[in-house]
Amino acid sequence: YENVVILWLRCEQDALNKRLDARVDSMVAQGLLPEIRAFYEQHVKPYKHHDYHQGILQSIGFKEFVKYLQRYDAEQDRLLLQHLTAETTDGADQPDGLAALGVCLDYLKLVTRRYARRQQQWIKNRFLGTLDRDVPPIYALDTTDVTCWKDQVTDRAVAIIDAVVDSRSPPYEPVMRSANPASDSLSKEGFYECAVCQRVIIGEYQWQLHLRSNKHRKVAKRSAAASLGGVVEKKPAPNAPEAAPDT
C-alpha cells in the first residue's frame, strides 16, 4: 500500500459499554418500538414459519423483541413509550408489559456489547495478529473521553494524514503488530472453501480460526449437509476473495 493508513477509533470497554447502553435507550425514545412493530405486523405475523437465525430476522434490534411483540399490541407500545419518556413517573402505575419490555431491552444491550467486543477482536486477529499480511500502518485514536475529542482524535488524525500526504513519518507511532505463536507452524499459502458457510478462507491459520468460530458452529448445526467432508483445499489464486469477519 502507498500513502494508506488505518485510523482505529478505540475506547475503554467500560466507557464503550455505557455508550452502547445509552444508544439503545435513545433508540427507544426515538421510535424503535413503532418501527419494529410495523415490520413485525407486515413481514412476520402473517406467516407461520420463522427462522430467526437467517436473513433480516436475525438482525440485532429485532429478534430480541419477538416475545414482547407476540404478546402485546401497538397501543401498549404507545403507553409504554409514554411511560419510558416521561420526565417523572413518581406515583404512576406501571403499564402492563413494562417488565417484559425491560427484559428485551436488557438482552439487546447485552448482545450489542458482545457484538462490539467481537468487532474489536476481529480487528486484532485480522490486522494485528499476523506479520505475513500486507497491512497499512494502524494508528489508534482514543475516544474514551469525548471532552478531549479535538486533542485525542481530530488533531491527531489530521497530523497523521498530513504527514502521510507529505511523505513524512507521522508524529505518532502505529499500533504494534505481533504474530500469534499458533500461526507459526501453519501454512500461509493456499485458500480453503467452507461448503457449510459458503466462504473462502485464506491461509491455514485463518482457516483454523474459522472452524472454531461460533458462526461456523451455528451454521453447521443448522445445516443437515454440514460436514468437514465438504471442505476443499485449493491452490493459491491471486484473485481469491478475502474472508469476511465472523459476526
Side-chain angles (χ1 to χ4, degrees):
Y1 298 93
E2 295 183 3
N3 296 328
V4 176
V5 296
I6 296 176
L7 301 179
W8 183 14
L9 300 182
R10 302 182 65 180
C11 181
E12 292 181 4
Q13 193 63 51
D14 288 344
L16 179 59
N17 288 343
K18 292 178 181 178
R19 289 179 191 171
L20 294 173
D21 289 351
R23 178 189 175 194
V24 171
D25 294 334
S26 176
M27 290 166 60
V28 174
Q30 296 180 46
L32 175 63
L33 277 179
E35 181 178 341
I36 60 176
R37 171 67 65 185
F39 180 86
Y40 174 78
E41 295 291 337
Q42 183 175 357
H43 300 289
V44 178
K45 189 176 180 179
Y47 305 97
K48 293 182 179 180
H49 304 291
H50 315 104
D51 187 347
Y52 296 103
H53 299 285
Q54 293 185 352
I56 191 65
L57 296 186
Q58 68 179 326
S59 300
I60 294 177
F62 175 73
K63 63 181 183 297
E64 293 80 14
F65 293 89
V66 170
K67 291 184 178 180
Y68 168 83
L69 294 169
Q70 292 172 338
R71 184 173 179 181
Y72 299 96
D73 58 17
E75 175 60 20
Q76 202 60 34
D77 296 348
R78 185 185 65 80
L79 295 175
L80 286 169
L81 185 59
Q82 286 181 346
H83 181 83
L84 292 173
T85 57
E87 293 185 1
T88 178
T89 57
D90 294 342
D93 294 334
Q94 291 190 353
D96 189 27
L98 183 62
L101 180 60
V103 171
C104 297
L105 291 173
D106 288 343
Y107 185 45
L108 175 57
K109 292 175 181 179
L110 173 65
V111 297
T112 301
R113 295 193 299 267
R114 186 181 298 162
Y115 184 66
R117 288 195 296 271
R118 287 207 304 268
Q119 287 179 316
Q120 294 185 62
Q121 190 59 48
W122 182 84
I123 291 174
K124 294 176 182 178
N125 291 339
R126 172 64 66 175
F127 297 123
L128 301 175
T130 177
L131 299 178
D132 63 303
R133 178 167 291 162
D134 190 10
V135 177
I138 300 176
Y139 294 89
L141 303 175
D142 189 359
T143 67
T144 302
D145 187 350
V146 294
T147 64
C148 299
W149 188 276
K150 185 177 185 302
D151 175 59
Q152 295 293 325
V153 181
T154 304
D155 290 350
R156 293 187 179 220
V158 171
I160 292 169
I161 294 173
D162 284 345
V164 172
V165 171
D166 294 338
S167 299
R168 295 182 286 106
S169 296
Y172 306 101
E173 292 295 323
V175 180
M176 293 293 294
R177 297 168 59 191
S178 59
N180 190 318
S183 67
D184 291 343
S185 60
L186 300 178
S187 171
K188 309 299 188 300
E189 303 297 328
F191 65 98
Y192 300 77
E193 180 181 350
C194 180
V196 176
C197 301
Q198 298 296 307
R199 287 183 50 189
V200 173
I201 311 297
I202 301 176
E204 189 176 0
Y205 176 60
Q206 293 296 328
W207 170 242
Q208 294 297 334
L209 289 178
H210 173 72
L211 291 181
R212 295 195 299 269
S213 69
N214 290 332
K215 180 67 175 290
H216 173 78
R217 292 175 180 177
K218 289 179 181 178
V219 174
K221 287 181 180 179
R222 294 197 302 265
S223 175
S227 69
L228 291 181
V231 174
V232 180
E233 180 180 2
K234 297 185 177 181
K235 298 294 183 180
N239 296 323
E242 284 200 358
D246 283 327
T247 56

